[in-house]
Amino acid sequence: MVRLAAALALVAGLAAPCVAQGASFPVRISVDAGRAGAEVNPVWRFFGADEPNYATMKDGRTTLATLGSLAPDRVYFRAHNLLTTGDGTPALKWGSTNIYTEDAHGRPVYDWTIVDRIFDTYRARGVKPYVELGFMPEAMSTHPEPYQHDFRPGSGNIRTGWAYPPKDYARWEELIYQWVRHCVARYGRAEVASWYFETWNEPNLPRYYWGGTPEEFFRLHDAAVRGVRRALPEARVGGPDIAGTDDTFLTAFMNHVRSAGTPTDFLSFHAKGSPSFVEDGGKGHVRMGLATHLQVADHEFAQIAADPVFRDRPVIIGESDPEGCAACQGPANAYRNGTMYSSYTAASFPRLIALADRRHVRLDGILSWAFEYEDQPYFAGFRQLTSAGIDLPVMNMFKLFARMGGHYVDDRSDHQRPLDDVLRHGVRGDADVGSVASWDGRRLCILVWHYHDDDVAGPSAAVHLAIAGLPRAFVQAARMTHYRIDRDHSNSYAAWQAMGSPIAPTDAQRGELLRAAALATVGAAGAPTRMKAGPVDLDFVLPRQGVSLIEFDAG
C-alpha cells in the first residue's frame, strides 16, 4: 500500500478547513479504476427557463456562454413562450416573439426576427435549442382575452389567453411547418435535425399551462408533429413534458400516439422536489424534499417501463429541480444561492440515473430549469445559475459534472445512503456522503458529496479514499487537482455576505465576487502525485453541503 496522506494532505484538503477534534466523522470510499461499468452519459447538459428573451440580454449571453463552454454543441436549452405574442419585453414567467399575427383580412403574418435572435444567441455560444412548440399566439387562441398573465411572486393569474387551444388546428400546423422550414434554411438541415422538438409545457396542469382538455392537447400535439416532420422528416420529435405527479397522463399520451401513429422519438416529463421551512425555535431552516423529487421521477419511469412499445425510447426529464417555481421567492427557497443547491444537485443526479437503470429506462437528459434573471438585485433568491452575471455555487456543480467522462468505475462509500432509503425518506438522519467515479484512460475523476436535507450545521466528513486498479504508466505521469465547492470555495454568495451584502457592489467588489465565483481548488492545482504502482490512499475533510472532485490527469 502506498501511503500518500502526509505528502498530499495539503493538496487534497486535509489541512485546508479548520476542523476541531471530534467535529468530523470517518468515511471510507474505495475506487477500483480497473472495474469499468457503463459509459458516462452527460445527462446534466440540459437547461431551461420561462423567459426566452433573457437569452439575448447581457447576463443571459454570459450565462449561455458558460453553459456552452462546458460541452460545446452538446448543451441544450429549452424555453417557454417561443410562439407567444408580444414585442419581446420579458417579465417574470413571461416572454414573447410575435412570431405569428394576422392582417386585417385574417391572413397569417410570420415574423421570425425575435426568435431568430434568440436561437442565434444560443448557437453563437455552442448551445442547441430544445424547441418547445408553445405557447398559443393571440390571434390563434380560442380565449384571447386577457392574453398576458399578471403573475407576481406570490400572486397573479397564470392561465390566460396564451394557454388555450387554437381556433384552427390547420393554421397551428402550418405555423410550425413554416417555422421549422425557416430554421432549416437559416441553420442547415443537419443542424436542425440535431435539435429536440416537443409540444407545449405541462398540459396535465389545467390551472396553469393548459386551458383545454387532454384530447385537445393530443390533437394539438399531433398537428405540431405533422408540421415539424413536413418541414424536416428526420427531425427529432417527442413529448409531452408533463408535470410529473401521481397521475397516469404519460400512459394516456403513449396510448394516444401509438394509436394515432404520431412519430415519437423521445418521451419527456418533469420531476420536482418539495422543500419546506422548518420552525425550530430559532431562526428556522430549509428542509429539502429530495424523496419527493425521486418518487415523482420513479413514478414516470415505471409508466414508461410498463409500455412494450416505448420502454426503449430515450427519456428526458424536461425539468428536474428541487421545487417547482424558479420565479417564486420565499423562506422555503432560501437554499438557492448557496451550497445547499449544489450539494443537492450532486446527490440527486446519480440517484435519478440509478432509478432509470433499475427500471431499465434509457435516460438521456436531466434538464435543470434554471438560468438567470436580468437586472434583478444581487442574490435575489430566484432559482438560477448566475446572479447579475456572477456564477452561483450550483453553476460550479455543472462544471464538475462536465469533467467526468469515459466509463464509470466501481466505487463504494460506507456513508452513501441506500437508494431505497433516500427514495422513501430523503436524507433526514445520518448525512449522505456519496461518490461516483469515471475513467477515460487518461483521466480519473472521483466526485464526492456530503449532503443532508436539513440546512443546518453538522460535522464534517473525514474521508479516506482508497484507489486501486490504475495502470503503471498513468500512475507515473498523473497530476492531481482537487476541486471544491463549499462555504470557502467556489462560492460567490458567501463572498457577498462577507462584504456586507452590498445592494450595488462597486467595481472592485464585483471583481472580488467574480473571482470567488470561479471553480476553486484546494491546495496546489495540478500537483504531481509522485505515485508508485499500486493502491493509493488519500485523506481529506469535506464539510457538510460540500462537494469535491478529485482529478488525476496524465495529460
Side-chain angles (χ1 to χ4, degrees):
M1 179 75 67
V2 179
R3 294 286 176 182
L4 295 179
L8 299 180
L10 286 173
V11 178
L14 181 62
C18 182
V19 180
Q21 187 173 2
S24 62
F25 58 92
V27 175
R28 294 187 63 86
I29 298 175
S30 61
V31 174
D32 188 345
R35 297 183 62 185
E39 184 177 358
V40 175
N41 182 4
V43 295
W44 55 266
R45 69 193 195 281
F46 294 79
F47 303 90
D50 292 71
E51 303 84 6
N53 308 98
Y54 286 161
T56 64
M57 302 175 78
K58 61 182 186 307
D59 295 334
R61 295 192 302 269
T62 299
T63 304
L64 282 172
T66 300
L67 295 177
S69 70
L70 301 181
D73 289 327
R74 300 186 71 195
V75 171
Y76 286 86
F77 198 89
R78 175 175 180 253
H80 295 341
N81 294 297
L82 291 176
L83 302 178
T84 304
T85 303
D87 63 3
T89 301
L92 294 180
K93 296 183 75 67
W94 181 258
S96 59
T97 66
N98 224 43
I99 200 170
Y100 178 92
T101 55
E102 294 177 358
D103 66 16
H105 301 286
R107 293 174 299 206
V109 177
Y110 304 112
D111 186 346
W112 319 118
T113 305
I114 296 175
V115 75
D116 281 353
R117 189 179 305 134
I118 292 168
F119 283 5
D120 287 353
T121 303
Y122 295 172
R123 295 304 300 123
R125 289 156 183 82
V127 174
K128 291 178 180 285
Y130 180 121
V131 185
E132 179 186 304
L133 302 172
F135 295 122
M136 192 57 58
E138 185 174 15
M140 209 180 283
S141 174
T142 53
H143 292 75
E145 296 180 357
Y147 185 70
Q148 182 173 350
H149 62 63
D150 61 350
F151 171 84
R152 295 169 179 79
S155 66
N157 180 34
I158 292 290
R159 196 191 72 183
T160 50
W162 59 269
Y164 284 87
K167 292 182 291 188
D168 186 330
Y169 285 87
R171 286 204 174 195
W172 167 256
E173 178 182 332
E174 186 67 14
L175 165 60
I176 304 304
Y177 165 74
Q178 293 292 345
W179 184 26
V180 177
R181 190 176 74 159
H182 167 77
C183 288
V184 170
R186 186 175 184 85
Y187 301 103
R189 191 179 193 99
E191 170 61 30
V192 179
S194 73
W195 301 356
Y196 292 81
F197 289 88
E198 60 87 13
T199 308
W200 219 255
N201 177 70
E202 299 181 348
N204 61 329
L205 294 185
R207 283 187 56 199
Y208 300 103
Y209 286 98
W210 181 241
T213 65
E215 292 72 24
E216 286 172 317
F217 168 70
F218 295 154
R219 186 179 178 189
L220 176 92
H221 174 78
D222 293 348
V225 171
R226 285 195 302 270
V228 173
R229 284 290 182 90
R230 273 205 294 135
L232 184 63
E234 66 269 35
R236 180 164 45 187
V237 295
D241 266 273
I242 59 165
T245 64
D246 59 358
D247 65 23
T248 57
F249 193 101
L250 186 55
T251 294
F253 175 81
M254 290 186 287
N255 289 339
H256 167 77
V257 295
R258 178 171 51 248
S259 63
T262 306
T264 306
D265 299 310
F266 66 94
L267 296 168
S268 53
F269 65 84
H270 302 170
K272 309 279 186 172
S274 58
S276 59
F277 188 76
V278 178
E279 298 285 357
D280 55 11
K283 294 187 297 184
H285 70 272
V286 174
R287 173 173 289 164
M288 304 299 284
L290 177 56
T292 299
H293 191 165
L294 300 180
Q295 289 164 12
V296 169
D298 195 49
H299 175 75
E300 304 301 326
F301 287 151
Q303 292 183 71
I304 296 168
D307 191 293
V309 172
F310 290 110
R311 62 190 175 197
D312 295 325
R313 298 293 166 87
V315 175
I316 306 291
I317 306 181
E319 295 181 22
S320 180
D321 304 292
E323 35 68 35
C325 181
C328 300
Q329 299 157 300
N333 295 330
Y335 72 89
R336 294 166 165 177
N337 287 325
T339 57
M340 193 75 181
Y341 193 1
S342 47
S343 62
Y344 180 101
T345 302
S348 62
F349 274 54
R351 266 59 184 249
L352 291 167
I353 294 170
L355 288 172
D357 287 346
R358 190 160 72 178
R359 295 285 186 182
H360 304 291
V361 169
R362 179 181 162 187
L363 180 60
D364 272 13
I366 301 174
L367 191 150
S368 297
W369 198 252
F371 185 44
E372 66 97 14
Y373 287 84
E374 199 78 20
D375 293 330
Q376 294 287 342
Y378 281 72
F379 307 101
F382 297 111
R383 191 174 70 237
Q384 54 191 351
L385 303 172
T386 65
S387 177
I390 297 170
D391 290 353
L392 294 173
V394 69
M395 177 68 95
N396 285 311
M397 190 62 242
F398 293 105
K399 296 175 189 176
L400 297 186
F401 282 150
R403 302 195 70 81
M404 304 189 73
H407 287 80
Y408 292 113
V409 295
D410 184 74
D411 73 291
R412 303 169 190 271
S413 168
D414 65 2
H415 275 69
Q416 182 164 325
R417 301 283 292 274
L419 177 61
D420 284 324
D421 184 34
V422 179
L423 179 63
R424 287 193 295 267
H425 308 297
V427 181
R428 302 293 171 87
D430 293 336
D432 177 44
V433 184
S435 62
V436 63
S438 68
W439 166 247
D440 66 3
R442 300 296 296 174
R443 183 162 62 180
L444 174 68
C445 292
I446 305 164
L447 182 72
V448 184
W449 64 85
H450 182 178
Y451 173 74
H452 199 284
D453 274 345
D454 287 293
D455 193 12
V456 296
S460 297
V463 178
H464 177 79
L465 178 60
I467 307 169
L470 293 170
R472 179 184 296 272
F474 174 82
V475 167
Q476 293 172 342
R479 304 175 74 86
M480 189 186 78
T481 303
H482 183 157
Y483 299 98
R484 171 66 64 80
I485 306 169
D486 63 18
R487 183 195 63 187
D488 301 316
H489 300 86
S490 315
N491 193 336
S492 58
Y493 180 57
W496 179 72
Q497 290 179 310
M499 63 177 58
S501 306
I503 295 174
T506 65
D507 286 345
Q509 288 174 321
R510 182 175 174 82
E512 184 179 341
L513 292 174
L514 288 168
R515 288 188 292 274
L519 181 59
T521 59
V522 176
T529 58
R530 299 185 179 88
M531 296 185 294
K532 300 178 182 178
V536 175
D537 281 349
L538 194 64
D539 295 279
F540 61 93
V541 173
L542 184 61
R544 192 167 184 170
Q545 311 303 7
V547 180
S548 279
L549 184 99
I550 314 298
E551 179 180 284
F552 297 91
D553 192 343

